Amino acid sequence: MRFELTDAQCDLRDELREYARSEVVPRAGALDRNEEYPEEILADLGERRFTGLTLPEKYGGRGAGLVELVIAIEELAAAMMPVASALALHLGVATVVERFGSERLKAEYLPAMARFETVGALGLSEDHAGSDKLAMETRAERAGGRGDDWILNGHKRWVTNFFDADTVLTYAKTGPESDAPHNVSAFLIPTDEFAVETVWETLGARSVKSPKVSLSDVRVPAERLVGEEDEAYVERGRINTGVNVPARAVGIARAALDDTVAHVSGREQFGQSIGDFQGIRWRVGEMATRTDTARLLTLRAADRADRGEDASRESSMAKIQATEAAVTNTNEALQLHGGIGYTAERDVERYLRDARLLTIAGGPNELHRNTLADAVLGE
């Protein structure tokens, strides 16, 4: 078995790595400090069709698979994790529309989403529906009296991209609790139909906000239903774009490693490079091992999903390993940078703050440990 990318995948990696280094890295620190949405970067990625990477070419996308998504997200996250988050979550919404939406919705939304001219956000989590998404309280009822419109009431939180988004893929209960999980439907709702309730100050990922928003008697046309009525939660389980989370972690882990190698190679103490001390050399080697292990597990999960096989075991393994590698590597990087690593003069403190989100995002690692254990034990 050969663990190598194809020539086309290498070209994709190299193109995005050069773009990230020249266009994203120089802006990342200021965007983080100013808590400014990376609008220009994402618009540029849209012009290059990276925001439609996994969408079919007939809708203006690149027609790539999940392995390519993982490659792209790693490169962007190594420069600035929130850029990778914004792109990945947008693509996740577009993927649901492409997989389950009507032909009318696909034609209306996907070409503009591929160019990032129409931006998608996800409305799934709620105050009491974090790990347990089926505990959501948002409901959609038939409007009556005028076609098959729906009336939605409720709230969503952690709606990444909201302030730059045009539409929110919103999940709501449409059936009785006794029918769960076959009691949830999804709708495309314009962002201006939502009221913003809370904009959190966060430890990291500061440039892409994920507010809490609410709906009050919002009428949604029937044609904005995405997929089958009552089947949206089940349908969501058939997509595997969640591999973007460990891919983001791999990018951060790699950036922390690269910065540490550069620092310990150039920093001298006690008459020699600190990279010549055995204890530091071993720690850097361990950082490299964690990064490579995380990358291989993430690529394996993506490849398995691309081949149409069940990747739940592999995805959970990758998510746990990669996100914890990112936290450990960034913490090690800060320690090995010494006092300067604790300042905003270097990027490692930003890496650490951004990495800490990833053991929670995409389902907390504790939940993935349950999924992994069930798969290993055959439950």
Side-chain angles (χ1 to χ4, degrees):
M1 182 181 296
R2 298 179 66 183
F3 294 92
E4 295 182 3
L5 302 179
T6 66
D7 289 344
Q9 290 166 343
C10 288
D11 289 343
L12 172 69
R13 179 199 61 196
D14 294 345
E15 180 184 0
L16 268 170
R17 184 168 297 183
E18 175 56 33
Y19 176 83
R21 286 176 173 172
S22 63
E23 302 297 329
V24 182
V25 170
R27 309 182 200 180
L31 288 169
D32 176 73
R33 286 190 298 275
N34 298 330
E35 301 188 17
E36 180 182 350
Y37 190 77
E39 183 176 1
E40 292 183 4
I41 293 171
L42 289 162
D44 195 14
L45 291 169
E47 289 182 7
R48 299 163 186 255
R49 293 189 303 148
F50 286 116
T51 51
L53 180 65
T54 56
L55 296 178
E57 292 182 6
K58 69 177 182 178
Y59 297 118
R62 287 186 172 225
L66 292 171
V67 168
E68 288 77 14
L69 175 66
V70 163
I71 293 167
I73 293 301
E74 176 186 335
E75 295 305 323
L76 293 172
M80 187 179 186
M81 195 276 287
V83 170
S85 298
L87 185 148
L89 288 163
H90 164 80
L91 259 178
V93 171
T95 298
V96 172
V97 176
E98 190 271 323
R99 286 283 302 276
F100 307 113
S102 66
E103 290 302 321
R104 176 177 177 177
L105 285 180
K106 293 177 187 179
E108 180 180 350
Y109 281 91
L110 295 183
M113 293 186 84
R115 299 187 300 269
F116 212 68
E117 292 172 1
T118 293
V119 180
L122 175 63
L124 182 59
S125 295
E126 299 180 3
D127 287 350
H128 302 295
S131 300
D132 182 9
K133 297 296 190 293
L134 287 175
M136 70 177 68
E137 298 171 354
T138 299
R139 292 206 60 87
E141 306 285 351
R142 292 285 186 183
R146 195 172 76 185
D148 294 322
D149 290 359
W150 296 84
I151 302 294
L152 273 78
N153 286 280
H155 77 276
K156 296 294 173 182
R157 67 175 181 175
W158 315 129
V159 186
T160 301
N161 278 342
F162 181 83
F163 292 110
D164 201 64
D166 301 285
T167 188
V168 179
L169 180 66
T170 306
Y171 288 77
K173 293 279 182 67
T174 49
E177 298 296 331
S178 58
D179 288 346
H182 304 279
N183 65 336
V184 177
S185 300
F187 306 86
L188 287 174
I189 302 177
T191 51
D192 58 13
E193 295 284 4
F194 293 80
V196 176
E197 291 193 6
T198 306
V199 182
W200 286 282
E201 294 294 324
T202 55
L203 175 68
R206 293 174 174 174
S207 63
V208 178
K209 300 299 184 182
S210 301
K212 177 182 176 180
V213 298
S214 61
L215 294 159
S216 180
D217 291 332
V218 172
R219 181 180 287 268
V220 180
E223 60 267 23
R224 291 294 180 266
L225 177 72
V226 181
E228 292 187 38
E229 182 180 334
D230 293 332
E231 297 300 324
Y233 185 84
V234 176
E235 290 170 344
R236 185 166 186 80
R238 299 176 192 156
I239 65 171
N240 292 280
T241 53
V243 291
N244 83 83
V245 178
R248 284 186 258 164
V250 174
I252 296 177
R254 191 192 87 204
L257 170 64
D258 291 347
D259 285 13
T260 300
V261 168
H263 178 75
V264 301
S265 299
R267 173 75 167 167
E268 289 193 3
Q269 291 288 276
F270 305 104
Q272 68 182 88
S273 167
I274 64 173
D276 290 336
F277 290 102
Q278 185 181 66
I280 290 179
R281 293 168 63 84
W282 285 7
R283 289 166 75 174
V284 172
E286 289 167 358
M287 290 173 70
T289 301
R290 279 190 290 270
T291 302
D292 282 9
T293 301
R295 180 184 296 111
L296 289 170
L297 286 172
T298 304
L299 286 169
R300 182 182 70 165
D303 176 66
R304 187 173 177 86
D306 275 340
R307 288 186 280 111
E309 300 179 17
D310 181 10
S312 56
R313 176 183 184 273
E314 289 75 15
S315 293
S316 286
M317 194 178 291
K319 205 276 184 179
I320 296 164
Q321 174 66 28
T323 59
E324 294 180 2
V327 172
T328 302
N329 268 20
T330 54
N331 196 45
E332 281 282 82
L334 194 151
Q335 184 69 25
L336 293 177
H337 273 73
I340 198 67
Y342 194 65
T343 73
E345 184 173 323
R346 300 294 176 92
D347 291 326
V348 291
E349 62 86 29
R350 171 168 58 85
Y351 299 157
L352 178 57
R353 289 187 286 105
D354 286 352
R356 195 60 190 84
L357 167 66
L358 298 179
T359 61
I360 303 167
N365 282 9
E366 290 78 7
L367 187 64
H368 284 277
R369 282 188 161 86
N370 284 340
T371 299
L372 176 58
D374 288 347
V376 172
L377 295 169
E379 295 183 10

